[in-house]
Amino acid sequence: MAGLDKRVSTYEEALAGLTDGMTVLAGGFGLCGIPENLIAEIRRRGVKDLTVVSNNCGVDGFGLGVLLEDRQIRKMIASYVGENALFEQQLLNGELEVELTPQGTLAEKMRAGGAGIPAFYTATGYGTPVAEGKEVREIDGRHYILEHAIRGDFAIVKGWKADHFGNVVYRHTAQNFNPLAATAGKITVVEVEEIVEPGELEPSQIHTPGIYVDRIIQGSFEKRIEKRTLRD
């Protein structure tokens, strides 16, 4: 990055510095708003032993699922297995370390990491296996467990539009985990459908301010549907 212009021209440049053993936060929910080209670049680079934090792990053959195919993920922190049979297989076979986290808790872990809050108490998971080994505190007659914030070496994010300064707008439900992940990466990389000139984005419509973003790249996207339902 040079000055305030966050644009990079290649995906290789976008993920420069990503190495084995790092923690990567990935935006998206199912296949909605996933940074598919950045994921493909991670696969191309062949980095291994990654800890990946995302709501789920894509599907077989697409999204984060391609990193499972090449055994590039050592640990997955996610809310659910989803439609990914390989994720389920590697979990059950003990080939993949998995930390299943309630969805709201996972979102708050990223938000807290981005806000500089090291940990927080939540009632979610108390009295279940989620709480095993965690500090419990009673507040106003209710029990809460201590959850630690999450930060990543890299955050990979999918936006709709961005300007040169890295101000990002997400489209509809692609807001999901993307704004949260964007704040919690030491290096945040955003791929977007369109890069516009500074001043073209209405300030009140910006979801992620450029102060959180290190690199912006414009890409083209396949936008697959995770599960197609048809009516007769």
Side-chain angles (χ1 to χ4, degrees):
M1 187 187 79
L4 293 176
D5 192 340
K6 312 287 181 70
R7 292 173 297 176
V8 295
S9 58
T10 67
Y11 278 91
E12 184 176 8
E13 185 180 1
L15 289 179
L18 179 65
T19 57
D20 293 354
M22 283 188 166
T23 296
V24 178
L25 313 182
F29 187 107
L31 296 183
C32 175
I34 65 169
E36 59 193 67
N37 299 302
L38 289 169
I39 293 169
E41 173 62 16
I42 293 175
R43 184 184 200 182
R44 189 198 68 79
R45 297 174 76 91
V47 290
K48 302 286 186 180
D49 298 321
L50 298 174
T51 295
V52 175
V53 183
S54 188
N55 180 63
N56 57 294
C57 200
V59 297
D60 296 289
F62 194 68
L64 291 170
V66 301
L67 303 184
L68 290 177
E69 291 178 2
D70 291 351
R71 300 295 196 274
Q72 291 175 261
I73 301 176
R74 178 187 61 83
K75 180 178 181 179
M76 190 72 208
I77 302 175
S79 291
Y80 70 107
V81 174
E83 302 290 330
N84 194 322
L86 183 58
F87 187 1
E88 179 183 13
Q89 177 187 327
Q90 290 187 8
L91 167 61
L92 295 176
N93 291 344
E95 302 173 76
L96 177 68
E97 185 179 348
V98 177
E99 185 178 318
L100 291 177
T101 304
Q103 199 166 82
T105 301
L106 182 62
E108 182 62 10
K109 280 173 170 280
M110 292 191 199
R111 192 203 68 82
I117 299 170
F120 58 91
Y121 286 99
T122 177
T124 303
Y126 173 73
T128 75
V130 169
E132 291 180 2
K134 296 176 181 176
E135 178 186 331
V136 176
R137 184 171 178 180
E138 184 177 346
I139 302 174
D140 294 332
R142 190 175 185 186
H143 290 93
Y144 297 83
I145 60 176
L146 184 68
E147 295 281 6
H148 292 271
I150 290 177
R151 295 271 299 166
D153 298 295
F154 271 79
I156 56 173
V157 172
K158 164 64 168 58
W160 179 37
K161 293 182 180 180
D163 62 22
H164 301 180
F165 298 151
N167 297 303
V168 181
V169 176
Y170 306 100
R171 183 169 173 79
H172 302 313
T173 52
Q175 290 184 54
N176 51 59
F177 279 83
N178 279 302
L180 304 169
T183 66
K186 294 177 183 177
I187 297 175
T188 293
V189 187
V190 183
E191 60 173 333
V192 294
E193 298 176 36
E194 183 180 0
I195 297 178
V196 301
E197 294 294 323
E200 289 190 31
L201 297 178
E202 177 64 36
S204 63
Q205 296 178 346
I206 292 170
H207 298 120
T208 295
I211 192 171
Y212 291 109
V213 176
D214 298 284
R215 302 167 190 166
I216 287 279
I217 186 166
Q218 183 170 323
S220 58
F221 302 89
E222 186 174 343
K223 295 185 179 179
R224 288 196 196 181
I225 296 173
E226 182 174 2
K227 191 170 185 179
R228 190 182 299 273
T229 302
L230 302 176
R231 178 181 295 175
D232 293 334

